[in-house]
Amino acid sequence: MAASAEELKCDTQALSDRVQPLLTDLYQFTMAYSYWKCGKANDSAVFEIFFRENPFGGEYALFAGLTDCLQFLSNFQYTQEDLDYLESVLPCTVEKDFFEYLKTVDASEVALRSVPEGSVVFARVPLIEVQGPLLVVQLLETTLLCLVNYASLVATNAARFRIAAGPDKKLIELGLRRAQGPDGGLSASRYSYIGGFDKTSNVLAGKLYGIPVTGTVAHSFISSFNSMVDVKPRTLKPATGDKVADLVSLCENLLPYVCHLLKVPLERLNQGELAAFISYAISFPKNFLVLVDTYNVMWSGVPNFCTVALALAKLGYQAVGIRLDSGDLAQQSVVIRRIFQTCSIEFQFPWFMSLSITVSNNINEKSLLQFNQQENSIDVIGVGTHLVTCPLQSSLGYVCKLVELNGSPRIKLTEDTNKITLPGRKTVYRLFDASGHCFLDLLALKDEPSLVVGQEVECQMLGKGEGSVRIVVSRVETMHQDYFREAKICSPLPSVMDVREYSQCSLLMLGEEHKRLSKPKPYKVAITEKLYRLLNNFKIANGSSHI
């Protein structure tokens, strides 16, 4: 399902406000001027965007950020204000005619082909191909890299969190306050959702992208109450009927029974916390979910919560649950679930035993794995810092390299073998085994015949598994699609929900051995014999002995 016109308008406006044509490196303009000066501005160039190493010690990444790239291309043009600023920062030797030329520059002659957003992707595989006038594509380079680098990194991080948590637990992104500024916060919410998270606390992300939002209370709300005197108003209308009830009195009557049932001394309960819970319940009787660790979880928070939740139940409302933000989260969740079961039986509210238990508190990938190794009764997990800041890897390392100019292949050869590029325009094929899992990405030169089912292909493996192999094609997909041509996006942009669904389907097509969080099996990437020979010819011509 494509994004609605209103969603697209809102999203495009948000992007254009923060991603302007000057969001690039100064050296792109110095190169552009030199291209223009020496008559190379309109040379036909092809650049490829890819990354060299899979992130987080894994064997895959999730490709994200394509939608932003397409919207950026659609709006790419310099304003007079932009040009005035450029003239003020570029050397005074730059001719004024260059700035007049930049007035005419846009993306009308640019074509972009790419793997679909949300695809599982691998190191050294070209993910985006940008074709157009050399000067123009050069000016686009930095911005396009900016738009896909963090997006893909956080989407991949979210996918790993999703795997670590398992399929049964809900994941909420809570990272806005810890994100790298407002742009990082919005991107984190959007791309963690694409990577497999269920909701976000970020309200603006909900408005712009349609991501489900959620939220409860902070410790400050609870500690702002001191006693029952602070509860105003005190009454609540039942779920059915018109006669209002005094919720404070109802809770005070229930409290001794709850304390006796849970074997908690009445005097240990914090009255300010109880007042806060009652006030929040009056405000949100159908959405009652509160923190229970402001003072003491078992001696105050949980009994106070149960008291208010039972009072709501007597008025026909079902509470949602609790959130824990400190302590041994797994162990506490088990004890709290037993308390809920006890109250359910004692007060004859069957749904009470299934109340939601949400946890947070600096949770990382390791925390999620530990939860699965322990007995726990956790339903929802909130993740912030370790999701949005990606502390295990600060950048995915996308690069954009020239591979063809005026129909002739180009290459970067260097002593650092990891930085050698693969020359020429390419077609990317993904091959699948009999079980439906992908097992090989094959890079072929653009002018090679298309792969067909039943064909036997000889290819050269890249990376640790280097060597020649022969493969019979049983199922194959061409990964690149046309997305931008003649100043237009080729098809309606997908919604964030569509990209999320696509990413989850794409992950299912990758074998479990490649998705392992620890010591995954390497995924194979190979090149055809023709591309291998071309690469070798460049090496020989330049006296290099490395791939």
Side-chain angles (χ1 to χ4, degrees), residues 60 157-169 171 363-373 381 515-517:
Y60 72 93
N157 201 27
R160 291 176 62 88
F161 274 69
R162 175 78 276 168
I163 290 170
D168 298 328
K169 289 180 170 52
L171 290 175
I363 288 171
N364 56 27
E365 189 177 293
K366 183 179 178 181
S367 306
L368 297 176
L369 292 172
Q370 289 175 340
F371 289 158
N372 289 331
Q373 294 166 1
I381 302 170
K515 290 186 288 191
R516 287 197 298 258
L517 301 179

Side-chain angles (χ1 to χ4, degrees), residues 38 71 110 128 152 227 374 397 413 424:
C38 65
Q71 291 177 347
V110 172
I128 297 178
S152 298
S227 69
Q374 301 171 264
L413 284 170

Side-chain angles (χ1 to χ4, degrees), residues 56-116:
F56 305 113
E59 279 299 320
Y60 72 93
L62 272 184
F63 173 59
L66 176 62
T67 297
D68 282 349
C69 291
L70 298 175
Q71 291 177 347
F72 170 67
L73 290 179
S74 297
N75 297 293
F76 180 73
Q77 194 161 28
Y78 297 105
T79 65
Q80 186 59 52
E81 185 180 358
D82 294 336
L83 299 176
D84 291 343
Y85 176 75
L86 281 174
E87 189 171 2
S88 74
V89 296
L90 286 172
C92 61
T93 54
V94 174
E95 300 172 29
K96 290 190 179 295
D97 285 350
F98 175 64
F99 300 105
E100 291 299 314
Y101 172 79
L102 287 181
K103 285 183 180 180
T104 69
V105 167
D106 57 23
S108 59
E109 296 181 67
V110 172
L112 184 146
R113 303 176 71 247
S114 173
V115 302

